[in-house]
Amino acid sequence: MKFNTKAIHGGQQHEEATGSVMTPIFQTSTYAQSSPGVHKGYEYSRAANPTRTALENAFASIENGTHGFAFSSGLSAIDCVLRLLKPGDEIITGDDLYGGTYRMFTRLFQKYGLKFKFVDVGEVTNVVDEVSDATKLIWLETPTNPLMKIVDVVGVTNAVKNKNTDILVAVDNTFATPYLQRPLDLGVDIVMHSATKYLGGHSDLVMGALMVKDEKLAKELHFIQFAAGAIAGPMDSFLALRGIKTLHLRMQRHCENGMAVAKFLKEHNKVSNVYYPGLESHPNHEIAKNQMDDFGGMVSFRLKDESKKATFKFLESTKLFTLAESLGGVESLVNHPTTMTHASIPEEERLKIGITESLIRLSVGVEDIDDLLDDLSQALKQ
Ligand SMILES: *Cc1c(COP(=O)(O)O)cnc(C)c1O
């Protein structure tokens, strides 16, 4: 099946008892057994629930994996991956990470003896130079949040695996979605999503996803998911499953609108920098063109007037773009990383990589582009 078909049918079966075309919401914690240990494959919903199973099969299908796992949040999906490791193990990761991931790494897992090295993963050598005997995991985001840097996934994966094939490479594919890039096909071991964002797509749930194509790794992750228990519930699983059925349609429009907004901002006399991998001026545009099928709906930028006053004025003036955290829903959002999504990163670290007070991040939705540009235009006049 091609991607657009997989988004709708991947891993899905009509429900057996009634023929129900949509997977029902199996709102149950437990399942009847005819004799101790004799059941229809479901015992207790932390281990498995049919609505979640349908979603997990869809997750695997859209990322070209063999196994998918649904969690109660994106962060609990990352937490599950880190539980593969033990004290003393090293993780190499980017210096421009989602704030909550950075917080989990530094304030939770560091305390249990995991060691993190934060490097500019835009250069393959920066990653390879840090690899040691203790390195067990490379954690990548691309495009990065909020600076929209692109990591050469094949370059990093090949270079790291050349040194040691046992090192796992994981990609947080939240920003791109499998509509734009499929990391498992690029040689990566684990794909992670905050399904809260584009996969769900309607700003109505919080959920995480992992996808893999290796049987042994799948077994280990399933054991952790079951043993630690941060599973997605049946109602949320149903919503995410419904969201995925229009992923390709939404992404197509997100990409069109994202490009139009990026071009509009780039031409605007009040705007200085625009961060969008689809612009030829983007430093990683060539890698982005090779690695991605299109460039998505996330656009960051700065005003020429970098004062807090001008930045806040803009943030308070948009009408269609709602000032809110999160991204990837059908509606357009505007976000101020410094005070909102990236507040958990210490100021010194933030400034080092360019997340200053003047940075503005847009999640461009699927509304009519004329209305979106009108809104930005009026807000820039304020
Ligand atoms: C939102 C987000 C997360 C965290 O996911 P939650 O669903 O909020 O727990 C992780 N990575 C990226 C890139 C995100 O945008």
Side-chain angles (χ1 to χ4, degrees), residues 72-78 97-101 139 141 143-145 172-175 192-197 205-208 326-327 361:
S72 54
S73 69
L75 287 182
S76 58
I78 302 174
L97 282 180
Y98 171 71
T101 306
W139 186 269
E141 273 179 34
T144 63
N145 177 9
D172 179 339
N173 207 23
T174 300
F175 267 40
M192 172 266 158
H193 280 269
S194 170
T196 312
K197 317 292 169 51
L205 58 87
V206 174
M207 184 186 286
S326 201
L327 60 110
R361 190 191 76 184

Side-chain angles (χ1 to χ4, degrees), residues 147-150 275-286:
L147 289 166
M148 305 303 294
K149 287 194 222 160
I150 304 296
Y275 304 87
Y276 185 69
L279 294 178
E280 274 171 31
S281 55
H282 187 285
N284 311 126
H285 178 64
E286 286 305 313

